[in-house]
Amino acid sequence: MAGRISEALRRPAAQQPPWPDPEQVRSVSAFLASLPPLVTPDEIRGLRARMARVARGEAFLLQGGDCAETFAGATPAHIGANAVTLLRMAAVLAEGSGLPVVPVGRLAGQYAKPRSDGVDGLGLPVYRGDIVNSAAPDPEARVPDPVRMTEAYRTARDTLALLRTGRFSGIHTSHEALLLDYERPLLAVDPGDGRLYGGSAHFLWIGERTRQLDGAHVAFAELLANPVGVKLGPDITPALAAEYAERLDPRAEPGRLTLISRMGSARVRDVLPAVVERVAATGRQVVWSCDPMHGNTRTSSLGYKTRHVDDIADELEGFFEVHRALGTHPGGVHLEFTGDRVTECLGGPGEVTEHELGGRYESTCDPRLNVEQALEIARLTAELCRR
Ligand code: PEP
Ligand code: MN
């Protein structure tokens, strides 16, 4: 197994930090490998069973949370607010759709961010998430520091401890499996079934910027027994989507693979149909989920990265239209939201305007829906499920 892991990780890996001291990375990774995995194979298999129901059209996936979790934000107040919001949205969805809902948080590990540019607006090395460097606008703070991976582990462990209590215990966790120096040491073979489990979260996905077919991230995901996802942007081809299905779901297990379309409201109706048809023709039952956030990002007149609730709603409607026309199951949504009172996305019931964005813009990365916007999207999704 170790040989297969090394082989996968020898492939080119996009979006890895320029660590200044590779020897220190090796010693941190070795330390992480000595710690217990954060999630158990039993929990992961529990999610696998629920994802299989989603793939068969018997349930609906609700995945979401912060774009980028921070270490400072890992307070009971913030984690609790996000988890409560996730569960409120799940209740709205379950009630309105008549389907059981599978809540999966972007929680307890969403600390690494892919970036389009190596340099930010101030000319500083870009912030890559708390697991790599600090968002503080200072060149020193932006130097990638591998010791942050141990802080990520501790923060995730404490977050999971909170989520395993009482009313949050039905929530599974997920993040983008981006930082391979963190993901690799947390791998573990379960002696029970002999399979390899990613120990950092129940569900791991590959982002739009790291899904190269010959790259390390796809090869890494191939090795896992966890349910895995791939984000599909507007330039996805039907043939490439089918390749992901064959590579990442070789045993044709319903719910093993989630394909998360994030095409933008202007493209989803054109691009998605042929992709869905081609994947269905492979005979696999994947989960089709819609991320209506990442294809609809724009810059406000005052320079804030934002998204409009109307565009988010429109992409969701397009996603459901495509699946209804093809007779496939629109199985889930993937959203960025928070339970905190922020003004990061435009529109919604409170009609957040461009001038209000600066009021409470707290995200260190992408703009999130606030509670009322998130509940509005949950209500719309429930209505689309019923149609
Ligand atoms: C994200 O989910 O925060 C993200 C970066 O998405 P994508 O890979 O789809 O751009
Ligand atoms: Mn994001």
Side-chain angles (χ1 to χ4, degrees), residues 35-184:
L35 302 175
L38 291 162
V39 296
T40 68
D42 265 348
E43 292 170 345
I44 295 167
R45 284 188 288 265
L47 180 60
R48 276 291 292 266
R50 299 180 86 182
M51 296 300 286
R53 295 196 62 194
V54 176
R56 291 193 200 98
E58 301 159 7
F60 194 82
L61 168 68
L62 170 65
Q63 185 171 19
D66 292 328
C67 175
E69 292 184 278
T70 61
F71 298 159
T75 60
H78 177 67
I79 303 293
N82 280 23
V84 164
T85 304
L86 183 72
L87 292 180
R88 285 181 70 189
M89 294 168 75
V92 167
L93 262 166
E95 166 81 24
S97 70
L99 288 171
V101 172
V102 181
V104 178
R106 287 174 65 116
L107 278 167
Q110 182 53 22
Y111 308 122
K113 298 311 300 176
R115 305 315 302 248
S116 324
D117 222 317
V119 175
D120 73 4
L122 300 169
L124 293 171
V126 76
Y127 169 61
R128 293 177 183 273
D130 273 12
I131 196 168
V132 174
N133 58 5
S134 158
D138 154 8
E140 284 284 294
R142 293 290 171 85
V143 176
D145 176 1
V147 174
R148 287 178 162 269
M149 293 194 286
T150 63
E151 200 172 336
Y153 177 93
R154 277 200 305 275
T155 308
R157 185 195 56 198
D158 295 349
T159 301
L160 283 161
L162 196 69
L163 293 171
R164 287 188 174 109
T165 60
R167 63 189 170 152
F168 298 145
S169 63
I171 297 176
H172 284 95
T173 64
S174 69
H175 62 257
E176 178 175 349
L178 179 69
L179 186 61
L180 298 172
D181 291 320
Y182 178 73
E183 301 298 337
R184 179 183 184 162

Side-chain angles (χ1 to χ4, degrees), residues 89-337:
M89 294 168 75
V92 167
L93 262 166
E95 166 81 24
S97 70
L99 288 171
V101 172
V102 181
V104 178
R106 287 174 65 116
L107 278 167
Q110 182 53 22
Y111 308 122
K113 298 311 300 176
R115 305 315 302 248
S116 324
D117 222 317
V119 175
D120 73 4
L122 300 169
L124 293 171
V126 76
Y127 169 61
R128 293 177 183 273
D130 273 12
I131 196 168
V132 174
N133 58 5
S134 158
D138 154 8
E140 284 284 294
R142 293 290 171 85
V143 176
D145 176 1
V147 174
R148 287 178 162 269
M149 293 194 286
T150 63
E151 200 172 336
Y153 177 93
R154 277 200 305 275
T155 308
R157 185 195 56 198
D158 295 349
T159 301
L160 283 161
L162 196 69
L163 293 171
R164 287 188 174 109
T165 60
R167 63 189 170 152
F168 298 145
S169 63
I171 297 176
H172 284 95
T173 64
S174 69
H175 62 257
E176 178 175 349
L178 179 69
L179 186 61
L180 298 172
D181 291 320
Y182 178 73
E183 301 298 337
R184 179 183 184 162
L186 297 179
L187 291 171
V189 174
D190 178 34
D193 64 9
R195 296 182 76 177
L196 185 70
Y197 288 83
S200 65
H202 303 108
F203 178 106
L204 294 167
W205 78 84
I206 304 171
E208 169 71 1
R209 291 165 191 77
T210 52
R211 59 177 170 79
Q212 298 78 12
L213 260 192
D214 56 357
H217 292 85
V218 170
F220 177 79
E222 254 181 317
L223 300 173
L224 306 179
N226 307 55
V228 296
V230 183
K231 296 279 202 92
L232 304 180
D235 57 16
I236 185 69
T237 62
L240 182 52
E243 284 263 8
Y244 292 135
E246 279 155 15
R247 288 268 305 273
L248 295 173
D249 180 23
R251 306 180 189 195
E253 297 167 289
R256 145 72 178 169
L257 176 62
T258 299
L259 293 174
I260 308 163
S261 62
R262 36 85 86 217
M263 298 175 173
S265 60
R267 304 295 305 281
V268 61
R269 293 170 179 84
D270 297 334
V271 177
L272 186 58
V275 168
V276 173
E277 282 185 305
R278 183 69 186 77
V279 171
T282 71
R284 284 164 174 81
Q285 283 184 298
V286 303
V287 170
W288 290 105
S289 181
C290 176
D291 164 359
M293 313 295 291
H294 288 88
N296 294 308
T297 311
R298 53 172 156 114
T299 305
S300 78
S301 51
L302 296 173
Y304 287 97
K305 197 176 184 187
T306 190
R307 296 154 172 162
H308 201 294
V309 168
D310 290 351
D311 296 331
I312 293 166
D314 188 32
E315 179 157 358
L316 271 175
E317 284 171 11
F319 171 81
F320 274 81
E321 280 163 35
V322 168
H323 284 286
R324 293 301 183 222
L326 295 171
T328 41
H329 179 49
V333 288
H334 183 121
L335 301 165
E336 289 181 342
F337 62 80

Side-chain angles (χ1 to χ4, degrees), residues 372-384:
E372 54 185 8
Q373 292 169 331
L375 290 174
E376 174 78 0
I377 291 297
R379 272 190 291 274
L380 170 71
T381 307
E383 187 194 315
L384 292 168

